[in-house]
Amino acid sequence: MADSQLLLKRGPFRSTWLRARKTRTQLVLSRRPRRRLGTLRWCGRRRLRRRLLQVQAAGADWRESSCLVSRAATRRPKTATPSPAPAAATAPSGPASLPIPPVRPAGPGRALVLLPLEQGFTFSGICRVTCLYGQVQVFGFTISQGQPAQDVFSTYTHSRLTINAVHYSITEKSKKEMKREARALLRSHLNRDDRCWLMKNFSPLCSIVMLEQLKTSTVNFLVSHPGLSYVFVQESPTFQISSEHLALRSVGIRREKKKNGLRLTESALSAMEELVTVSCEVDGCPVILVCGSQDVGKSTFNRYLINQLLNSISCVDYLECDLGQTEFTPPGCISLLNITEPVLGPPFTHQRTPQKMVYYGKPSCKNNYENYIEVIKYVFSSYKRESPLIVNTMGWVSDKGLLLLIDLIRLLSPSHVVQFSSGRSKYMPNLTPDYVDDMDGLYTKSKSRVRNRGFQLAEFTESLEFADEEKESPVVFTGHKLMCVQSDFAFRKTPRNRESHNKVLRDLAVLGYLGQLQPPVPKPLCPLHGLTPYQVPFNAVALRIIHADVAPTHILYAVNASWVGLCKILDDVRGYANGPILLAQTPICDCLGFGICRGIDMEKRLYHILTPVPPEELRNVNCLLVGAISIPHCVFKSQRGLEGTIPYITTDYNFKLPGASEKIGARETEETREEKVHPKPKLYRKIN
């Protein structure tokens, strides 16, 4: 009976071994790896078989390379052909892959990474990066020894970031002298054991990086909502727990394959190098307009270019013209910013205060192109021409979108136009100076209709404000240099899921902005309904619904529990007795920030506004604009500490009310009349 039980117990083990043995009969395995093979799952066996084939192709024996199963690094065999690293998928005849950078724990929440020259460490998660010795580059930004630490956000919504060791200039020194110098620099940061480990693995021109655990109030606020923790960290089953895995886990990151990291094409790197050279000249203030269809890497290129420029100059100006996927503000804005700090993460990790901003109120400018152009003119008038300007444009480059882009080129007069193209994107003609001259835009005429070559934008420039010395020479479109970039940007978005994916990114941007309401770390998070709002009288601010026509009797229903833009208009709204004060037209005015109208007191005639805008700025707010940008549903559904009915969520709702949804009650145009559809149910709100 015992023997039968033993046979039953060993049956699956032997069948698993026989299947692996039949797949490659030439492999010679020792008994210990054979025993370990029976404990692996099918995916682990497949990975092991692939590594065994690589070892055999390199001329090594399994007994000699059995550390592949239990160690992260491989031994170099004694044959003439070098052995590839486990993660590499190169052919045996290809070049030898470099060793994996070693990682060592350096205390709770800290890890050391020793990077040989031209080596990289690709990771996911968030951490604080300090270069203790040498020089590294992250997302195009160079971090040298002695410089302040940088917060790096490598999220799963975008390509993973890589810490690359780059070449740095040093005086002629021997390896012993370099070790002595490195040991002196590390003495104030590390203990003796860590310094000895680093010196044992030290190589000339290497870089030593300290990774520390990073906690911010914004990140804590984001991950507090169900389903959003995956943005920063994704746990996956592992067959081995090594000291490296535990060290990186204590920091809050994990090592990723190099293929998952950010990769730029040669054309993108070449264009970037030329733009940096032009910007570093004595009078280098180029206007760089980046255009292309959706999902070709325009935003990634802009971030990388900003970081590259900040390596050489102190600041970069940035004009945001993409309403749906804004970089530094919540969606639906056109803004001008002066960037002085590197951009080392996705948009929802670096929400910043613009130099000038207008709340357009919608993620697209369709059916309202003229207002879109007017807003860009208003924001662009604040550009002082003291630093390079990067202009981000929409991904809509077909039909009227292309004509609108031609108008923007004539309006902004860029010195360089970077045009992205991809094999997966729609065809877009090359925007050469001759092509722009010969094409009519939505509001401008082609060169054939204007005799003089320098086309003066009289209808555009009359409202622009320039310095006195610039007024003497009006803006003239004199042509630009076209830089074509071929993109191999890998993305998972398809026409079917693109809108839902973009909606997630817009919600993350709104949550990132609301994270500024939270107290700084290490104080605990405070739910939004636990924060004290500002009380704003009805007669102190004017109201306007941007995206829909709402009956005056229902205007407060639309404002309550909505995302509102806190704006400043030139008109004086004081003097009205009761309110609310309603505007007949949408003004083009400065937006000072955003907030949530979390309640309306009808008896005291007060709005309750929750916003991170400081009180000294709120004194200038006299207008509230409500657009199509909504508060993420998780804010309503995931309110902690509430019992009973959740406020502002109801199923008792009348779809026939004007302004009840984005479609019903929206302002109709010729296109929307033809495409009118019944809206889907969503979250609705009511005033108590």
Side-chain angles (χ1 to χ4, degrees), residues 108-181:
R110 302 203 313 173
L112 286 172
V113 180
L114 182 63
L115 292 171
L117 182 61
E118 297 182 355
Q119 281 293 287
F121 176 77
T122 305
F123 69 98
S124 60
I126 60 174
C127 64
R128 180 163 290 163
V129 178
T130 306
C131 184
L132 302 180
Y133 179 79
Q135 188 170 275
V136 297
Q137 194 174 88
V138 184
F139 211 173
F141 184 74
T142 302
I143 307 175
S144 303
Q145 63 186 41
Q147 290 185 350
Q150 297 293 336
D151 298 343
V152 181
F153 304 85
S154 181
T155 65
Y156 283 87
T157 56
H158 297 70
S159 298
R160 316 300 182 270
L161 300 185
T162 303
I163 304 174
N164 292 304
V166 295
H167 188 276
Y168 52 92
S169 60
I170 57 174
T171 58
E172 294 184 1
K173 297 180 181 179
S174 63
K175 184 177 179 180
K176 186 176 182 180
E177 292 174 339
M178 286 189 286
K179 277 189 174 184
R180 187 182 299 112
E181 180 185 0

Side-chain angles (χ1 to χ4, degrees), residues 537-543 569 571-584 605 622:
F538 279 8
N539 59 0
V541 292
L543 290 179
I569 59 177
D571 299 334
D572 189 4
V573 299
R574 294 175 297 179
Y576 293 87
N578 296 321
I581 306 170
L582 306 182
L583 296 177
R605 309 190 74 77
N622 58 359

Side-chain angles (χ1 to χ4, degrees), residues 406-407 410 440-446 455 457 459-460:
I406 292 175
D407 286 338
R410 288 176 177 157
D440 287 341
L442 280 180
Y443 301 100
T444 58
K445 302 301 180 182
S446 63
F455 179 71
L457 302 178
E459 64 272 26
F460 280 136

Side-chain angles (χ1 to χ4, degrees), residues 343-532:
V343 182
L344 302 176
F348 52 87
T349 61
H350 50 249
Q351 295 288 298
R352 300 181 182 178
T353 302
Q355 178 182 344
K356 197 176 191 67
M357 176 172 62
V358 173
Y359 184 45
Y360 189 83
K362 292 182 287 186
S364 174
C365 68
K366 290 184 178 180
N367 308 324
N368 198 1
Y369 313 112
E370 187 174 359
N371 190 37
Y372 176 74
I373 289 290
E374 292 295 331
V375 171
I376 293 179
K377 287 163 51 180
Y378 178 76
V379 175
F380 181 64
S381 64
S382 298
Y383 176 50
K384 303 301 182 183
R385 304 176 186 270
E386 297 175 352
S387 57
L389 175 66
I390 299 175
V391 182
N392 185 37
T393 59
M394 299 182 296
W396 181 35
V397 292
S398 60
D399 302 329
K400 291 184 178 180
L402 180 60
L403 303 181
L404 198 62
L405 179 59
I406 292 175
D407 286 338
L408 282 182
I409 294 176
R410 288 176 177 157
L411 167 64
L412 304 177
S413 297
S415 58
H416 298 77
V417 172
V418 182
Q419 181 175 344
F420 276 77
S421 60
S422 173
R424 297 180 297 268
S425 60
K426 295 182 180 180
Y427 169 75
M428 179 182 177
N430 289 337
L431 299 178
T432 61
D434 292 337
Y435 180 86
V436 175
D437 282 344
D438 297 336
M439 282 292 294
D440 287 341
L442 280 180
Y443 301 100
T444 58
K445 302 301 180 182
S446 63
K447 174 187 172 184
S448 59
R449 301 194 182 188
V450 181
R451 293 187 177 181
N452 56 323
R453 176 171 177 80
F455 179 71
Q456 297 188 8
L457 302 178
E459 64 272 26
F460 280 136
T461 58
E462 60 184 5
S463 62
L464 297 180
E465 297 179 1
F466 298 104
D468 294 336
E469 61 273 11
E470 295 175 347
K471 290 182 180 179
E472 300 177 358
S473 56
V475 178
V476 177
F477 181 71
T478 57
H480 58 267
K481 181 176 182 180
L482 178 64
M483 310 176 74
C484 294
V485 174
Q486 183 65 27
S487 173
D488 292 335
F489 198 69
F491 59 92
R492 299 178 180 178
K493 287 188 280 187
T494 63
R496 180 173 298 180
N497 67 359
R498 177 179 288 113
E499 184 57 35
S500 60
H501 188 276
N502 293 340
K503 179 65 166 58
V504 171
L505 295 180
R506 288 195 291 268
D507 288 348
L508 288 173
V510 173
L511 292 174
Y513 185 86
L514 292 176
Q516 301 176 21
L517 289 165
Q518 298 298 324
V521 175
K523 294 183 179 179
L525 290 177
C526 183
L528 294 182
H529 60 81
L531 299 174
T532 304

Side-chain angles (χ1 to χ4, degrees), residues 313-360:
I313 58 179
S314 59
C315 62
V316 180
D317 286 335
Y318 186 87
L319 178 61
E320 182 62 80
C321 299
D322 188 356
L323 296 169
Q325 302 297 330
T326 52
E327 184 66 37
F328 299 101
T329 64
C333 298
I334 295 175
S335 57
L336 177 67
L337 299 96
N338 187 261
I339 309 300
T340 58
E341 297 293 332
V343 182
L344 302 176
F348 52 87
T349 61
H350 50 249
Q351 295 288 298
R352 300 181 182 178
T353 302
Q355 178 182 344
K356 197 176 191 67
M357 176 172 62
V358 173
Y359 184 45
Y360 189 83

